[in-house]
Amino acid sequence: IKQYTEKDGLASNMTKCIIKDKANNIWVGTNRGICRFFKSTDGNYHISTLNMNVGLISNEVNQIIEYQQKLYFATNKGLGILNVLDFYNPDISIPVYIEEFFVNNIKMHGSQNHELSYDQNFIRISYKGVNVKSEGNVNYKYKLEGLDTNWTYSKNTYVQYTTLPAGKYKFVVYALNLHRKTSVNPSFIEFEIKKPYWKTWWFIIASIGLFFLVVSLMYRNRVSRIKQEEQEKTRIHKKITEAELKALRAQMNPHFMFNAINSIQNFILKNNSKSAQIYLTKFARLIRFVLENSKHQLILLTKEVAALELYIELEALRASFSFDYEIIMDDSLNAKNLFIPPLIIQPFIENAIIHGLIPLQERKGKLSVRFSRKGSVLKCEVEDNGIGINMAKAIKQKKLLYHKSMGMDVTKDRIALLNQQNNLLTNIIVLDKLSDGIPMGTIVEININLKNSPYD
């Protein structure tokens, strides 16, 4: 004894009638349709159901008989007749047709081939399989060639595609019978979505041509600008070289050379050979320092300070040590690894000694040279307690002397050129020291921004 219930695939547990046909199929009438029991090759019974979805006039089946390969079944809505072969013959084919073709929600008419623009890419296709008995409950399989690689199975009678890319497409659809046998002939529709103009070959070629034209113009403009920059660099370098030569000549100006040699001669005449020897040695060392440092655009701060110290010693010796001097280096400087332009500071020290300290009579002169650093800025202060700027100018006018400092002018030109070439942003600040309105000397502040120095 075997029991079959809804768990085994029976349409309903409320069965009303049962028959067996000549093909050994067992038919069971229920309140939810007719169930067919058929024995497979493995000896087990399998159940399939026929109901209103496949053409029954009612699911409430009260009695069944089989006569000449037809089932006659009594229902609450009348007598129904079912051709068994129509439902269980695997060769029965359901024809299918494409009913409507929409593009951007607009119904299209005409042939099966449509040419669409790139923005006509919202597609909706309606189709239907013709099977009166199934009352429209048909399974379908479809594929959009050009987009899909696999078939899609569905009971829906429409499909839609959004934002389709440009290309050629063919929509193919089949209807399936109860044994999932496809239609003999599918229904299809073909359409092509054109590429946007910016993806067409002529636009791409034109764009490439325009791109190369722009690149060519940019290249020529860049080459021209580089040539101009190189010419400007050459011009600036030439000016810097000339300025450095002028600075060298200014630092060893005839006036200083004459005074130095005259001092040596004076020591010799006074039989002060020791002082003459010391002076001559320092003088030779200074000339060597100046010649060596003038070969480079940037030198170590320690070398520049050594040359400055020699120069101040010679001037102090020549002035019979009428002034004291000091050179102060801040501990945080790291002077052994710090590079600065040469021949920049000496003219300001020379100016302080000759025009500020030597004319001083009422007190002993003092010269202070201080180096410090704040961030990327190196600050050098040249301070003296001499007669001051205004008094020095008055003395020149009174003596009808107009001594234009060549070293100062050359230094200013060099600073301007260095700023233009290396963006060192060197600037000079000159201040008069006053006490109750009385001149007490001068302070010259030299600031060199080493942020862009390649040696910093």
Side-chain angles (χ1 to χ4, degrees):
I1 300 174
K2 176 69 176 177
Q3 184 179 15
Y4 291 91
T5 65
E6 293 180 7
K7 294 181 180 180
D8 303 299
L10 195 65
S12 173
N13 290 333
M14 186 177 293
T15 58
K16 297 186 176 182
C17 55
I18 183 170
I19 67 165
K20 185 179 77 168
D21 62 17
K22 294 180 181 179
N24 293 321
N25 292 310
I26 298 175
W27 301 89
V28 178
T30 72
N31 63 335
R32 293 179 183 172
I34 301 175
C35 293
R36 176 201 179 209
F37 285 68
F38 59 97
K39 186 176 290 188
S40 62
T41 56
D42 59 3
N44 295 319
Y45 279 100
H46 295 273
I47 304 173
S48 62
T49 300
L50 302 178
N51 50 36
M52 292 179 63
N53 291 333
V54 294
L56 297 190
I57 58 176
S58 174
N59 286 333
E60 190 80 27
V61 179
N62 300 312
Q63 184 61 278
I64 306 173
I65 63 171
E66 186 262 341
Y67 179 70
Q68 294 183 350
Q69 296 184 336
K70 290 183 180 179
L71 290 181
Y72 295 84
F73 52 95
T75 72
N76 294 343
K77 293 184 178 181
L79 179 65
I81 303 174
L82 184 67
N83 191 325
V84 176
L85 294 180
D86 285 348
F87 280 91
Y88 294 99
N89 185 351
D91 295 326
I92 295 297
S93 176
I94 301 175
V96 62
Y97 302 93
I98 290 179
E99 292 188 318
E100 294 175 318
F101 179 64
F102 290 88
V103 177
N104 292 356
N105 293 321
I106 299 175
K107 186 175 181 180
M108 306 295 289
H109 301 280
S111 66
Q112 289 184 323
N113 298 299
H114 300 269
E115 288 189 357
L116 310 175
S117 62
Y118 72 93
D119 56 347
Q120 292 180 299
N121 55 359
F122 185 87
I123 306 299
R124 187 176 187 272
I125 302 173
S126 298
Y127 48 84
K128 183 170 288 187
V130 180
N131 186 9
V132 178
K133 298 180 179 65
S134 66
E135 294 186 351
N137 186 24
V138 179
N139 287 308
Y140 302 91
K141 75 171 185 177
Y142 61 83
K143 179 169 66 172
L144 182 62
E145 296 178 0
L147 179 68
D148 300 329
T149 56
N150 299 317
W151 291 96
T152 300
Y153 294 83
S154 173
K155 288 186 177 183
N156 293 331
T157 57
Y158 73 91
V159 64
Q160 63 182 24
Y161 302 92
T162 60
T163 61
L164 281 175
K168 292 183 177 181
Y169 298 98
K170 181 178 180 180
F171 178 78
V172 182
V173 59
Y174 288 91
L176 306 178
N177 63 15
L178 291 174
H179 296 272
R180 303 186 72 80
K181 179 75 174 182
T182 60
S183 308
V184 175
N185 297 313
S187 186
F188 66 91
I189 187 169
E190 295 178 315
F191 60 94
E192 180 181 2
I193 300 176
K194 297 291 185 180
K195 293 180 180 179
Y197 70 88
W198 58 84
K199 290 185 178 180
T200 56
W201 63 267
W202 61 265
F203 182 84
I204 294 173
I205 292 176
S207 299
I208 293 174
L210 180 61
F211 171 76
F212 280 108
L213 178 62
V214 172
V215 170
S216 176
L217 293 175
M218 291 176 64
Y219 175 77
R220 293 176 60 184
N221 183 54
R222 176 62 178 165
V223 170
S224 176
R225 188 163 63 250
I226 290 175
K227 287 182 178 179
Q228 291 178 358
E229 291 175 355
E230 290 298 324
Q231 291 174 356
E232 182 67 14
K233 287 181 181 179
T234 302
R235 184 184 67 81
I236 293 173
H237 181 72
K238 183 178 179 181
K239 282 191 173 184
I240 289 177
T241 303
E242 292 174 354
E244 287 173 349
L245 291 175
K246 289 180 181 179
L248 176 61
R249 290 195 297 269
Q251 195 162 7
M252 295 191 301
N253 62 72
H255 179 68
F256 171 70
M257 299 286 287
F258 174 79
N259 288 338
I261 296 172
N262 189 46
S263 297
I264 296 171
Q265 184 181 15
N266 187 41
F267 289 136
I268 294 172
L269 291 174
K270 291 180 179 181
N271 292 322
N272 191 349
S273 60
K274 185 177 181 181
S275 297
Q277 184 180 2
I278 294 173
Y279 197 97
L280 185 59
T281 301
K282 292 182 180 294
F283 181 67
R285 288 180 61 199
L286 177 62
I287 291 176
R288 188 183 67 183
F289 265 123
V290 171
L291 291 175
E292 179 65 27
N293 293 346
S294 63
K295 295 178 183 179
H296 309 283
Q297 290 188 359
L298 296 172
I299 64 170
L300 281 169
L301 178 59
T302 52
K303 290 187 177 182
E304 181 73 359
V305 170
L308 293 177
E309 190 169 6
L310 273 175
Y311 172 76
I312 297 172
E313 287 179 1
L314 287 174
E315 289 289 10
L317 185 60
R318 189 173 63 85
S320 302
F321 295 99
S322 61
F323 65 90
D324 297 327
Y325 66 91
E326 62 179 358
I327 297 178
I328 302 173
M329 304 280 288
D330 193 283
D331 294 337
S332 62
L333 267 180
N334 194 17
K336 292 183 179 179
N337 297 315
L338 191 62
F339 288 79
I340 66 169
L343 311 176
I344 290 289
I345 302 171
Q346 185 271 338
F348 298 98
I349 295 177
E350 177 187 355
N351 207 48
I353 294 172
I354 294 175
H355 300 294
L357 295 176
I358 292 180
L360 188 64
Q361 296 179 356
E362 64 274 10
R363 60 181 178 273
K364 187 172 183 179
K366 183 177 181 181
L367 175 69
S368 295
V369 181
R370 295 183 295 272
F371 292 91
S372 61
R373 183 175 182 178
K374 185 176 181 180
S376 62
V377 177
L378 172 68
K379 181 166 70 173
C380 174
E381 291 181 307
V382 179
E383 182 178 359
D384 66 79
N385 66 340
I387 62 175
I389 299 173
N390 295 329
M391 184 67 71
K393 288 182 179 179
I395 291 174
K396 290 180 183 179
Q397 292 176 358
K398 188 175 182 179
K399 292 182 178 180
L400 300 178
L401 292 176
Y402 183 71
H403 175 70
K404 186 177 182 180
S405 177
M406 180 182 177
M408 292 293 293
D409 290 343
V410 172
T411 300
K412 291 178 181 178
D413 292 341
R414 286 189 66 228
I415 289 173
L417 289 170
L418 287 170
N419 287 343
Q420 187 176 357
Q421 185 186 42
N422 297 322
N423 195 24
L424 292 177
L425 302 177
T426 304
N427 62 78
I428 311 297
I429 301 173
V430 181
L431 301 173
D432 236 345
K433 293 169 57 180
L434 298 175
S435 179
D436 296 329
I438 300 174
M440 297 299 292
T442 306
I443 299 178
V444 178
E445 185 179 301
I446 307 164
N447 294 299
I448 303 175
N449 190 333
L450 300 177
K451 180 178 181 181
N452 298 314
S453 171
Y455 299 94
D456 188 23

